[in-house]
Amino acid sequence: MMMQTSATTGLASNATAAQQAVPVSPLAPRRRQGHLVVQGVSKRFAQRDSAPAEVLRDCSFEVEPGRLTVLMGPSGCGKSTLAYLLAGYLAPDAGSLTIDGMPITQAGPDRMLVFQETALWPWMSIVENVMFGPLARGDMSRAQARQAAEALLQKFGLVGFGDRYPSQLSGGMKRRAELAQALINSPKVMILDEPFRGLDVMTRELMQEYYVQLFEETQLTTLFITTELEEAIFLADRIVFMGTAPGRIVRGLEVDLPHPRTIGSMTSERYLEIKKDAMATLIEYGAVSTD
């Protein structure tokens, strides 16, 4: 929220100085922020002419600060519903959700959700899309927002594309712009709901490398949702597995592959051991077929 002008000259001067100060970089490390706790969460949705559909049942897990946690499970098990609950777009029917010990009751800039489908406004240029959040809240002046947006576009290899419109960008470029759009808000937590689904294999692998490099630089607490086992292992510090609907947490698995991660990490003996262990979990809980 922007500071209000004071009738006192000294206070007004301080407010002006605060507004003109350079904001904290969206890429600044913040390891100890963003501890998410999901405790006993259940969720049902009303249905016309039938009983409510139970989507989540007694889900409990944590997303620890400064770690990249992957939530993995079969399609339709309630992963996106959990993402919406943590982002504050939905409320649970039972249980609790907290961030750094505070109840999650509504959406806020401390938790940024990157959706499965593009969230860029088609009538705005890419740089305007990225600038929108802090300008709407009054957190930055227009000059500050543009400076931060252009720095992020440079980070994601989008120099020269700021004045383009979303329809003029490839799928991978749109995804990078959306990461910039979220990061400019300096969130405590990033929640990514299958953000690379639908991209071709090469672009998807490049985006995975982009995000893991970003994470290693910032230590930004992340909950990454996927149905792809290879993606989960490559990205994760820890994988949380969900069973089939109604969604429930069935297991957590530590991924102790060394950092920095590269595509070469996926050929190591340890990677193959983790993959075998994870596959056994998926088969046990019906997430994949044994045929």
Side-chain angles (χ1 to χ4, degrees), residues 12 15 17 45 48 74 105 113 145 153 155 171 181 221 246 261 287 289-290:
F45 290 104
R48 182 175 293 181
T105 59
L113 174 59
L153 292 179
K155 173 69 178 178
Q181 185 185 46
T221 306
R261 299 270 173 89
S289 173
T290 57

Side-chain angles (χ1 to χ4, degrees), residues 202-254:
M202 183 178 294
T203 303
R204 184 173 188 137
E205 289 181 353
L206 287 172
M207 288 303 302
Q208 290 166 4
E209 287 196 317
Y210 260 113
Y211 196 80
V212 80
Q213 289 169 10
L214 173 72
F215 170 77
E216 288 168 351
E217 178 180 337
T218 63
Q219 297 296 296
L220 175 58
T221 306
T222 297
L223 179 65
F224 191 106
I225 296 172
T226 186
T227 59
E228 300 291 331
L229 180 56
E230 288 79 8
E231 182 171 69
I233 299 173
F234 176 66
L235 293 172
D237 291 317
R238 181 170 184 259
I239 302 174
V240 176
F241 294 93
M242 289 186 71
T244 53
R248 62 205 186 285
I249 306 302
V250 297
R251 186 192 177 196
L253 174 64
E254 293 294 316

Side-chain angles (χ1 to χ4, degrees), residues 65-96:
R67 303 194 79 198
L68 201 162
T69 300
V70 170
L71 182 64
M72 185 180 181
S75 296
C77 71
K79 301 184 301 298
S80 293
T81 299
L82 262 176
Y84 280 45
L85 287 162
L86 286 166
Y89 298 139
L90 296 173
D93 296 323
S96 64

Side-chain angles (χ1 to χ4, degrees), residues 1 40 74 86 109 115 128 149 153 162-165 171 233 257-258 291:
M1 182 177 293
L86 286 166
F115 298 91
E128 288 171 339
L153 292 179
D163 293 330
R164 303 281 184 93
Y165 288 85
I233 299 173
L257 295 175
D291 294 339

Side-chain angles (χ1 to χ4, degrees), residues 72-212:
M72 185 180 181
S75 296
C77 71
K79 301 184 301 298
S80 293
T81 299
L82 262 176
Y84 280 45
L85 287 162
L86 286 166
Y89 298 139
L90 296 173
D93 296 323
S96 64
L97 305 106
T98 62
I99 178 168
D100 294 333
M102 300 298 294
I104 295 173
T105 59
Q106 60 184 359
D110 57 346
R111 290 153 285 123
M112 299 306 299
L113 174 59
V114 176
F115 298 91
Q116 293 179 12
E117 306 299 331
T118 183
L120 298 172
W121 288 285
W123 60 87
M124 290 185 184
S125 69
I126 297 304
V127 73
E128 288 171 339
N129 267 282
V130 176
M131 293 166 60
F132 180 81
L135 287 181
R137 293 191 306 276
D139 291 344
M140 298 182 189
S141 69
R142 188 166 188 85
Q144 290 170 341
R146 189 170 189 95
Q147 180 182 8
E150 289 177 348
L152 285 166
L153 292 179
Q154 181 177 15
K155 173 69 178 178
F156 288 110
L158 293 172
V159 172
F161 291 92
D163 293 330
R164 303 281 184 93
Y165 288 85
S167 62
Q168 298 173 296
L169 270 59
S170 67
M173 294 170 78
K174 289 178 185 177
R175 295 276 84 177
R176 282 181 270 160
E178 287 170 327
L179 290 177
Q181 185 185 46
L183 284 169
I184 198 171
N185 298 284
S186 296
K188 293 181 177 181
V189 179
M190 286 281 283
I191 304 169
L192 299 99
D193 186 10
E194 296 190 66
F196 308 146
R197 189 177 71 172
L199 299 177
D200 63 80
V201 174
M202 183 178 294
T203 303
R204 184 173 188 137
E205 289 181 353
L206 287 172
M207 288 303 302
Q208 290 166 4
E209 287 196 317
Y210 260 113
Y211 196 80
V212 80

